[in-house]
Amino acid sequence: MKPKFFLPLAILLFASACFGQFYILESHSIDIAVDNDGMAQVRERYFMVFQNEQQLADFIRTKDTIGVSIEGWREYDPRIYPRIGDESEITVNGISFTDSSQEPDFLELTYSLRTPLMEKKRETSTVVDFALNTKYFSSFDEGDNWVIPNGTSITVQLPRGVQIQKTVKPDATIEENTVTWAGYVFGNELELKYTLFKQIASFDFGGFITGLLKSDLFLIGLGAI
């Protein structure tokens, strides 16, 4: 009876070892840069710890083989995929790997959203009110709560000079035009609203006078006088 029991167990353990990863995914950062129109560029970094140089070299070869294929990376490690937006809603700009002696090595994924991350809620001649479109954060939707897990941080950098409304949910760190959620964070609402002030074009009085002196209308008026 014992051989019949241990043989399937050995096969199961071997299969687990084959599909397991030989690195530790230490942390994960998501940096989102938003422009004046609410469009976003995203940079995700997966910080990894390797057990030895051979495992590091094997991973570098794997990276060169998979390239910029999101599907390929998800098959290789289900933890590596774009967290902001669906794959059909993004354009991948690049995937690179950095072997650093001063900090954990990291795989970097950069992509841009094809439609605005921030929705315009109100617009006047002087201001535009924006609000976060939560559909792009569906990866963090766990039914009744929005959950950012331990080891994951999300930083949203808004345009300079915006006024961020204080009702940021869940609670986040706010510094000037930057909002950061550092997991573990959860809440039943996900909310980020801000006001963008439009630049008012300055009036060039000197240029107006110069143009007026060169115009035919000025010469006609001068002749009439």
Side-chain angles (χ1 to χ4, degrees), residues 34-40 115-120 130 159 194 196:
V34 180
D35 66 15
N36 288 348
D37 296 318
M39 301 296 292
T115 54
L117 175 72
M118 303 294 181
E119 294 180 310
K120 289 183 180 180
F130 285 93
Y194 63 94
L196 174 72

Side-chain angles (χ1 to χ4, degrees), residues 44 46 65-96 107-112 114:
E44 295 197 35
Y46 303 85
T65 300
I66 298 177
V68 296
S69 170
I70 297 299
E71 182 180 353
W73 280 108
R74 192 192 288 267
E75 290 179 356
Y76 174 73
D77 187 339
R79 298 170 297 179
I80 300 177
Y81 65 93
R83 296 301 200 283
I84 308 301
D86 187 79
E87 291 179 28
S88 62
E89 300 170 324
I90 70 172
T91 299
V92 177
N93 300 323
I95 296 179
S96 61
L107 183 74
E108 180 174 287
L109 166 62
T110 57
Y111 54 95
S112 54
R114 296 173 184 168

Side-chain angles (χ1 to χ4, degrees), residues 27-31 47 140 148-155 180-183:
S27 60
H28 176 211
S29 67
I30 304 172
D31 296 289
F47 294 91
F140 303 96
I148 300 172
N150 279 324
T152 297
S153 65
I154 303 176
T155 299
T180 301
W181 288 285

Side-chain angles (χ1 to χ4, degrees), residues 122-130 195-198:
R122 182 179 69 94
E123 184 172 6
T124 69
S125 59
T126 56
V127 300
V128 185
D129 291 334
F130 285 93
T195 299
L196 174 72
F197 299 91
K198 295 182 179 180

Side-chain angles (χ1 to χ4, degrees), residues 19 52 56 79 97 176 197 201 220:
F19 289 100
N52 53 58
L56 173 60
R79 298 170 297 179
F97 179 74
E176 296 183 354
F197 299 91
I220 293 173

